[in-house]
Amino acid sequence: MYNFEYQNPVKIIFGKGEITKVGQNIPEGSKILLTYGGGSIFKNGVYDQVKSSIKGFEVIEFGAIEPNPHYETLMKAVEVAKKENITFLLSVGGGSVLDGTKFIAAATRFSKGDPWNILSRHATVTDAIPIGAVLTLPATGSEMNSGAVITRVEFQEKLAFMSPFVMPKFSVLDPEVIFSLPERQVANGIVDSFVHVIEQYLTFPVNSPIQDRFAESILKTLIEEGPKVLANRTDYEAAANLMWSSTMALNGLIGVGVPQDWATHMIGHELTAFHGIDHAQTLAIVLPGVMHIKRDQKKDKILQLGDRVWGINEGNDEERINLTILKTVEFFESVGIPTKLPNYQVGTDTIDTICDRFTKRGYKVGEKADVGPAEIRLILEDRL
Ligand code: NZQ
Ligand code: ZN
């Protein structure tokens, strides 16, 4: 196992009815900017619950933050936050609203030039407005991590930044928010969480049995509980287990002291940037290609995944690896997410565009930093 440091200061407030505790977790006298998305919070009652909890605070609202939140929109919120001297940001929504809020928090207090540099040049964030979150969609893990992914529409760029300053002070996870989720978003949440675990697990062995077994337990829980939520949206127990799995998948815990991949995410972000494909859908497309093209390098862990998660323990190594990839594809498709590029009307011209972009950027991805344009071409061609 590698050396590591781990600190996660996010207070999790979990369970039915816990949205009532939002107000008591915000510092007295705060001036709040409440951020939200396209309006789902008005239909499912979350907005009303939040508002009644923060009575007594001065509150300004900023809505219409898009899925794959747009830099252009968020910069408008930065103007509001500066003009109104906002001292607390309250994100009420899914990963996009929360990621967008993280960017608003950092950009408002960014004093070293253009805030786009936070994303494009990894300019260091040294301060941010404190954030609280009410999560309405289990998927990204953003509620308990330091990351955010932002899209600049004018450049067709989708880029991430990380900073401990944007970790929420608290996140409220009430599984009942799942009751109003459309099937597509439940499926997205299952697959995104699944692939978060895979990115931190499916690399090469470093003798880390705790991290491995934590990872496998999250995968197995997603496989068992995810379909229950799809079948019955108001199954509270299943919703609770799905929600906690999503958070645990990307709060840093299973990734300590182990190599991490993230090639699937980095390639997937390009599919969203150019075609607007949902984040989780891009992962379901790319991951099987990564597993196939990197089958030798990842052999030990693919065999372990097959054995411990899918129960594949017969046949030679090649057969087991093939079956493990097949089982993974079948799982994504069973929750309703197609896994091939043509399912999304994407063809070879996009493969060229993505490879060009990685050539220009000049860096490689993957746990051994050996996935560059040539490998990305093979991965995506596998998905045609
Ligand atoms: O905008 P509203 O009206 O709220 O509707 C949303 C949106 O249309 C809807 N929704 C959310 N909660 C709902 C609901 N509808 C009914 N009932 C509810 N309770 O769902 C739609 C999608 O929401 P979005 O926030 O975009 O989804 P998700 O949480 O999957 O977030 C995706 C974004 O997170 C980024 C992705 O790249 C993408 O931009 N990621 C962030 C990560 C992080 N911060 O660590 C890691 C991930 O790998 C990921 O990259
Ligand atoms: Zn993801």
Side-chain angles (χ1 to χ4, degrees), residues 92-123:
V92 186
S96 293
V97 174
L98 182 48
D99 281 10
T101 305
K102 289 176 173 179
F103 182 73
I104 298 165
T108 305
R109 296 205 178 157
F110 188 68
S111 55
K112 289 170 283 180
D114 185 354
W116 178 243
N117 291 340
I118 297 171
L119 294 149
S120 64
R121 296 188 185 173
H122 301 292

Side-chain angles (χ1 to χ4, degrees), residues 7 9-10 124-125 128 145-147 161-169:
Q7 183 174 18
V10 181
T124 312
V125 171
N145 71 34
S146 62
F161 80 99
M162 292 174 91
S163 165
F165 289 98
V166 301
M167 292 181 91
K169 300 295 168 204

Side-chain angles (χ1 to χ4, degrees), residues 139-140 192-193 196 250 262 265 269 279 283:
T140 64
D192 194 18
S193 308
H196 291 159
L250 196 50
W262 298 105
H265 270 71
H269 287 170
H279 172 63
L283 307 177

Side-chain angles (χ1 to χ4, degrees), residues 41-356:
I41 62 165
F42 298 111
K43 294 185 203 132
N44 59 15
V46 171
Y47 175 81
D48 292 336
Q49 291 180 62
V50 170
K51 278 306 280 262
S52 70
S53 167
I54 56 175
K55 271 188 197 134
F57 286 96
E58 195 177 345
V59 182
I60 294 172
E61 296 179 7
F62 186 92
I65 296 176
E66 316 76 1
N68 309 306
H70 297 174
Y71 172 84
E72 291 83 350
T73 305
L74 303 170
M75 287 307 291
K76 290 182 191 151
V78 169
E79 288 308 308
V80 175
K82 282 185 179 164
K83 187 166 151 258
E84 299 289 343
N85 290 316
I86 294 299
T87 62
F88 198 89
L89 293 171
L90 181 59
S91 163
V92 186
S96 293
V97 174
L98 182 48
D99 281 10
T101 305
K102 289 176 173 179
F103 182 73
I104 298 165
T108 305
R109 296 205 178 157
F110 188 68
S111 55
K112 289 170 283 180
D114 185 354
W116 178 243
N117 291 340
I118 297 171
L119 294 149
S120 64
R121 296 188 185 173
H122 301 292
T124 312
V125 171
T126 51
D127 194 11
I129 303 174
I131 299 169
V134 176
L135 188 72
T136 65
L137 198 175
T140 64
S142 189
E143 65 278 9
M144 203 176 173
N145 71 34
S146 62
V149 193
I150 307 299
T151 296
R152 187 155 182 176
V153 180
E154 92 175 281
F155 300 158
Q156 287 188 302
E157 290 263 27
K158 185 175 184 191
L159 300 174
F161 80 99
M162 292 174 91
S163 165
F165 289 98
V166 301
M167 292 181 91
K169 300 295 168 204
F170 66 85
S171 287
V172 179
L173 313 184
D174 178 347
E176 289 195 333
V177 297
I178 289 175
F179 296 178
S180 64
L181 278 177
E183 193 161 314
R184 169 169 153 191
Q185 298 305 340
V186 177
N188 281 347
I190 296 166
V191 169
D192 194 18
S193 308
F194 189 97
V195 180
H196 291 159
V197 177
I198 292 286
E199 299 274 28
Q200 300 163 86
Y201 170 85
L202 207 68
T203 56
F204 53 87
V206 291
N207 196 359
S208 54
I210 292 283
Q211 292 90 324
D212 283 7
R213 290 196 169 94
F214 280 170
E216 289 152 4
S217 70
I218 298 168
L219 294 174
K220 290 183 93 158
T221 306
L222 289 165
I223 292 163
E224 284 168 18
E225 303 293 319
K228 290 187 200 166
V229 178
L230 281 170
N232 177 6
R233 198 75 79 259
T234 56
D235 178 343
Y236 177 83
E237 294 299 327
N241 288 319
L242 174 59
M243 196 164 213
W244 189 226
S245 300
S246 290
T247 302
M248 289 301 293
L250 196 50
N251 65 3
L253 188 66
I254 64 169
V256 297
V258 299
Q260 300 193 15
D261 181 345
W262 298 105
T264 297
H265 270 71
M266 298 302 285
I267 302 166
H269 287 170
E270 300 305 323
L271 289 170
T272 303
F274 289 117
H275 290 281
I277 301 171
D278 288 358
H279 172 63
Q281 294 173 336
T282 71
L283 307 177
I285 298 166
V286 178
L287 177 65
V290 171
M291 290 173 77
H292 177 56
I293 299 302
K294 287 286 163 191
R295 59 200 296 138
D296 294 332
Q297 182 179 306
K298 292 178 180 293
K299 179 177 164 188
D300 292 335
K301 292 306 272 292
I302 298 180
L303 291 172
Q304 185 176 318
L305 172 74
D307 177 22
R308 296 194 190 169
V309 175
W310 296 118
I312 298 165
N313 42 37
E314 280 174 14
N316 63 33
D317 287 356
E318 277 305 289
E319 288 164 350
R320 289 183 193 206
I321 289 171
N322 288 340
L323 197 51
T324 304
I325 298 172
L326 183 67
K327 280 283 194 183
T328 306
V329 167
E330 281 175 358
F331 177 60
F332 294 161
E333 295 193 341
S334 75
V335 299
I337 303 202
T339 61
K340 289 275 193 173
L341 285 168
N343 298 128
Y344 302 86
Q345 288 76 51
V346 174
T348 47
D349 48 335
T350 298
I351 299 180
D352 294 340
T353 312
I354 293 177
C355 292
D356 278 354

